[in-house]
């Protein structure tokens, strides 16, 4: 039994009672080598995530750009550890806080991230032996900290093994906010608003949906094949492939045996990766062949590709984004998909737009920058970086973008607004404020162009809403405004 567990960690190493033995060279080498393992890589990525304040996807991309080549199993383990720690961070911290005499806030962040990685494996990864989770965490600690820190890590993780399933959490009856925040790993301010809006059962179900690993969903490129054709093409290379429940364009795959870009269907341009909810947005806008369409926040072109497919590659799409690198990726994606009607435009919607764009577009899609609180399953780190105070800032920016783009819509044209958020500030509040400010527009209520499954997701107010815990897809909001004559 280790006597290091629960020991307070001061800023400096305490003077030992006896001289510390010099570790054998073999053990020192193992400690240094531990940083090059998948667990060491996960620890490095979590360190960078804390330091750089960037989205996890961006931190991961930057890490793998400079990392030495590694096999798929190692990359998968790195992703599992990093995403798992972010999804379960508050629950892991609760256990650590219970087992350590040092308050959580006083633990060194590097030590805390290492404990989270080890504890996540112990509590959530059945295929990894407890001994492997503990030993590799100790080796990593030895590579960056004094020996007594390694002893602390060893003792706490071994105590966690003995205490598994026995550590009390806050009571749901007496303190539901704190209980859900700790058990489900979400910030209390989010839990509080979800409880107020939906009640305990729905809020808990939403948390569970966000904490499940989301499926890998593809959208067929109808310029190259049909959904049935895509399913046939994928069959030899994945374990299972099935149609999505609501989107007529989607396919969910499991058991991918290689990287996505190595699939023959990918190289042939038969699909793009896109969640089912995002697929519904372009269908909801309803572009037609021959129209002139503006994709106002195009990004990497997920929705741009879908718009082009729905338009049968006839007409014109201007794909606007402020990020030139994203537009380069969009252009390359259009080549892969066989799309010829898209023109990337590097522009800031807060800057002056070309005067000849006025009254030009049949349809405009505004996939506006938002909190991302509807896609916390895919971006679990966002739950820890989002803040209630930011929602009003997003609302103002979203309304500003809509107001700047409204004059570009033709009479009887459509301005589509969408966000991957379910929060009232970014959904209903924006729609209501826009209509009040722009009386020439009304909400489009016609849904005849949609499938029966999609029509079931349209509210009486004419909005498209999806919820992870109810619909099995990301949380989205979309509304289409029609310009009057």
């Amino acid at each position: 039994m280790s006597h290091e567990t629960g020991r307070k960690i001061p800023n400096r190493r305490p003077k030992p009672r006896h001289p510390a033995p010099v570790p054998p060279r073999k053990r020192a080498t193992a400690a240094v080598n531990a940083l090059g393992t998948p667990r060491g890589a996960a620890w490095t990525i979590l360190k960078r995530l804390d330091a750089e304040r960037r989205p996890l996807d961006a931190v991961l991309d930057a890490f793998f750009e400079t990392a030495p080549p590694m096999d798929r199993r190692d990359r998968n383990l790195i992703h599992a550890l990093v995403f798992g720690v972010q999804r379960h961070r508050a629950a892991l911290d609760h256990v650590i806080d219970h087992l350590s005499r040092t308050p959580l806030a006083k633990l060194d962040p590097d030590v805390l991230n290492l404990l989270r990685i080890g504890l996540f494996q112990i509590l959530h990864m059945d295929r990894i032996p407890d001994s492997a989770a503990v030993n590799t965490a100790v080796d990593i600690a030895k590579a960056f900290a004094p020996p007594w820190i390694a002893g602390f890590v060893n003792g706490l993780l071994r105590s966690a093994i003995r205490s598994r399933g026995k550590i009390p959490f806050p009571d749901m009856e007496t303190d539901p906010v704190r209980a859900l925040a700790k058990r489900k790993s979400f910030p209390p301010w989010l839990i509080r608003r979800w409880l107020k809006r939906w009640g305990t059962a729905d809020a808990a179900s939403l948390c569970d949906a966000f904490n499940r690993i989301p499926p890998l969903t593809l959208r067929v490129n109808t310029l190259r094949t049909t959904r049935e054709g895509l399913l046939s093409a994928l069959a030899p290379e994945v374990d299972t492939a099935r149609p999505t429940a609501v989107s007529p364009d989607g396919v969910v795959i499991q058991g991918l045996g290689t990287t996505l870009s190595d699939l023959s269907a990918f190289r042939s341009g038969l699909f793009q990766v896109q969640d089912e909810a995002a697929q519904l947005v372009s269908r909801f806008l309803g572009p037609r062949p021959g129209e002139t369409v503006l994709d106002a926040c195009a990004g990497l072109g997920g929705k741009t590709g879908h718009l082009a497919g729905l338009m049968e590659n006839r007409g014109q799409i201007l794909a606007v984004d402020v990020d030139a690198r994203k537009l380069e990726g969009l252009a390359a994606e259009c080549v892969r998909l066989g799309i010829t009607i898209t023109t990337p435009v590097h522009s800031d919607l807060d800057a002056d737009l070309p005067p000849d764009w006025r009254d030009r577009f049949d349809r405009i899609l505004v996939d506006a920058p938002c909190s991302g609180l509807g896609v916390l399953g895919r971006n679990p780190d966002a739950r820890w970086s989002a803040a209630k105070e930011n929602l009003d800032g997003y609302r103002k920016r979203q309304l500003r973008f809509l107001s700047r783009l409204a004059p570009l819509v033709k009479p009887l044209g459509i301005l589509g607004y969408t966000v991957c958020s379910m929060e009232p500030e970014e959904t209903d509040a924006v729609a209501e404020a826009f209509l009040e400010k722009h009386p020439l527009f009304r909400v489009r209520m016609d849904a005849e162009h949609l499938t029966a499954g999609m029509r079931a997701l349209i509210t009486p107010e004419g909005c498209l809403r999806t919820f992870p815990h109810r619909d099995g897809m990301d949380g989205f909001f979309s509304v289409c405004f029609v310009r009057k004559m």
Side-chain angles (χ1 to χ4, degrees):
M1 175 178 177
S2 170
H3 297 286
E4 301 292 337
T5 303
R7 182 176 182 178
K8 186 174 181 179
I9 304 180
N11 291 331
R12 294 182 179 179
R13 179 185 174 185
K15 184 177 179 180
R17 295 181 181 178
H18 305 286
V22 177
R25 181 175 298 177
K26 183 171 68 174
R27 297 181 68 182
T29 302
V32 174
N33 289 344
L35 294 177
T37 66
R39 294 169 180 85
W43 176 74
T44 299
I45 290 166
L46 290 175
K47 280 183 60 177
R48 293 183 183 178
L49 182 65
D50 289 343
E52 297 175 10
R53 306 288 182 179
R54 290 195 297 163
L56 178 54
D57 283 344
V59 175
L60 282 167
D61 288 344
F63 175 83
F64 284 116
E65 280 179 7
T66 58
M70 62 183 72
D71 65 32
R72 183 171 177 79
R73 289 173 59 186
D74 285 348
R75 291 175 70 100
N76 287 345
L77 179 55
I78 292 169
H79 279 88
L81 293 173
V82 171
F83 279 87
V85 165
Q86 291 300 303
R87 285 193 181 98
H88 299 280
R89 196 176 88 176
L92 298 174
D93 286 356
H94 177 79
V95 173
I96 293 168
D97 198 33
H98 182 84
L99 296 174
S100 172
R101 292 178 185 173
T102 302
L104 205 67
K106 293 186 178 181
L107 284 175
D108 183 276
D110 292 347
V111 176
L112 180 56
N113 275 325
L114 184 56
L115 290 170
R116 288 166 173 165
I117 291 171
L119 189 57
F120 174 72
Q121 294 170 84
I122 291 167
L123 298 181
H124 295 282
M125 301 188 78
D126 295 339
R127 295 184 179 181
I128 293 180
D130 292 342
S131 58
V134 175
N135 293 339
T136 53
V138 170
D139 284 340
I140 293 170
K142 289 176 180 176
F144 77 90
W148 68 273
I149 293 287
F152 172 80
V153 169
N154 178 69
L156 191 142
L157 292 179
R158 292 191 184 280
S159 288
I161 294 169
R162 292 191 298 273
S163 305
R164 185 163 29 205
K166 301 175 184 177
I167 294 175
F169 277 75
D171 183 66
M172 281 291 298
E173 295 296 328
T174 59
D175 194 349
V177 172
R178 190 161 171 263
L180 283 177
K182 296 286 187 182
R183 291 173 183 269
K184 310 295 185 181
S185 289
F186 284 86
W189 72 270
L190 260 183
I191 295 295
R192 196 173 291 112
R193 63 171 29 219
W194 290 346
L195 284 171
K196 183 178 180 180
R197 198 181 320 158
W198 294 312
T200 303
D202 245 14
S205 181
L206 176 60
C207 292
D208 288 338
F210 277 140
N211 283 336
R212 285 191 286 271
I213 298 174
L216 181 53
T217 307
L218 315 178
R219 192 201 70 250
V220 63
N221 176 17
T222 53
L223 300 179
R224 292 270 172 88
T225 189
T226 62
R227 179 157 69 172
E228 291 70 25
L230 177 58
L231 288 167
S232 297
L234 292 169
E237 298 182 280
V238 301
D239 288 347
T240 63
R242 60 173 175 81
T244 46
V246 179
S247 170
D249 306 307
V251 171
V252 178
I253 62 173
Q254 291 179 315
L256 185 63
T258 183
T259 58
L260 201 65
S261 58
D262 285 337
L263 292 175
S264 60
F266 179 89
R267 296 194 303 270
S268 300
L270 303 188
F271 68 85
Q272 286 183 287
V273 177
Q274 191 176 46
D275 181 72
E276 186 172 11
Q279 296 180 26
L280 303 182
V281 169
S282 299
R283 287 229 168 230
F284 187 52
L285 183 68
R288 298 170 181 169
E291 290 186 335
T292 301
V293 175
L294 176 64
D295 188 355
C297 302
L300 291 170
K303 295 181 179 66
T304 310
H306 199 189
L307 294 172
L310 294 172
M311 294 167 66
E312 300 174 3
N313 208 26
R314 291 187 283 135
Q316 183 182 32
I317 300 174
L318 297 189
V320 175
D321 203 88
V322 70
D323 190 328
R325 290 186 63 185
K326 288 184 177 180
L327 289 176
E328 290 175 4
L330 181 149
E333 189 73 343
C334 286
V335 171
R336 183 180 71 86
L337 299 170
I339 296 170
T340 59
I341 63 170
T342 297
T343 302
V345 178
H346 184 214
S347 182
D348 186 349
L349 294 184
D350 277 323
D352 289 336
L353 298 173
D356 61 341
W357 283 12
R358 191 177 185 90
D359 298 331
R360 176 177 176 180
F361 297 98
D362 297 288
R363 294 171 208 261
I364 296 177
L365 176 61
V366 188
D367 186 4
C370 69
S371 65
L373 291 175
V375 292
L376 294 180
R378 300 183 187 280
N379 305 308
D381 55 305
R383 69 185 74 180
W384 308 118
S385 59
K388 182 179 179 181
E389 294 76 21
N390 295 342
L391 293 177
D392 188 58
Y394 281 119
R395 179 190 64 80
K396 291 177 180 177
R397 188 183 190 194
Q398 291 151 359
L399 182 59
R400 185 169 70 249
F401 280 7
L402 285 173
S403 295
R404 290 181 63 80
L405 292 166
L408 312 187
V409 182
K410 289 179 179 179
L412 300 182
I414 294 174
L415 176 61
Y417 169 72
T418 188
V419 285
C420 51
S421 173
M422 305 167 292
E423 302 309 309
E425 293 91 336
E426 302 181 275
T427 57
D428 302 277
V430 172
E432 291 167 5
F434 176 79
L435 290 172
E436 182 177 347
K437 189 175 181 180
H438 298 274
L440 282 179
F441 286 82
R442 61 174 177 81
V443 174
R444 183 187 65 185
M445 302 301 294
D446 176 35
E448 293 303 313
H449 63 296
L450 304 178
T451 64
M454 282 193 64
R455 287 197 294 271
L457 300 175
I458 307 300
T459 69
E461 296 77 26
C463 304
L464 170 69
R465 296 182 192 266
T466 60
F467 299 91
H469 60 308
R470 298 173 185 172
D471 307 310
M473 60 184 82
D474 289 341
F476 266 72
F477 171 88
S478 191
V479 60
C480 288
F481 304 107
V482 181
R483 181 178 170 182
K484 304 172 186 177
M485 284 295 293

